[in-house]
Amino acid sequence: MFRRRPDGRAATVAVTVEGREVLVPAGASAAAAVLLAGLHTIRATPVNGTPRAPYCMMGVCFDCLAEIDGEPNRQACMVPVRPGMQIRRQRGPRAIDAG
Ligand code: FES
């Protein structure tokens, strides 16, 4: 899918994706980290469980919803990585905050 050209000068950030440490270019998004980790899905649709993965990478499709640092329903493509970030699959439907 996506391949990053090697750049030995680029700064990297270590994050954890589904329990696996991944080195990600500084300034990249959590969704990019998911793709660099080789995951093919990051969530499943709540209606029928269809697997989804980051698609638009610009905050439109919501297919990148993930749990980031323990907080579910984050749009991973809109969250820049930081050292030690924990990224996990989105479990279950997106909660709606009515209050
Ligand atoms: S990849 Fe589409 S909203 Fe994040």
Side-chain angles (χ1 to χ4, degrees):
M1 179 185 271
F2 295 98
R3 290 181 200 255
R4 186 165 191 87
R5 292 180 19 205
D7 182 353
R9 299 167 298 163
T12 57
V13 173
V15 302
T16 303
V17 179
E18 281 291 300
R20 188 176 130 220
E21 185 173 282
V22 181
L23 294 177
V24 182
S29 68
V34 167
L35 297 173
L36 285 169
L39 291 188
H40 296 290
T41 68
I42 191 64
R43 73 175 186 98
T45 60
V47 175
N48 60 12
T50 303
R52 311 303 291 176
Y55 180 67
C56 72
M57 302 298 280
M58 59 183 186
V60 175
C61 72
F62 286 75
D63 281 342
C64 64
L65 291 179
E67 181 183 306
I68 298 176
D69 291 335
E71 185 179 345
N73 304 317
R74 302 286 310 273
Q75 275 183 283
C77 69
M78 304 304 288
V79 179
V81 292
R82 61 160 191 73
M85 178 179 274
Q86 302 279 326
I87 305 165
R88 302 197 66 83
R89 292 183 193 281
Q90 174 70 36
R91 309 270 183 213
R94 179 182 176 134
I96 297 174
D97 184 7

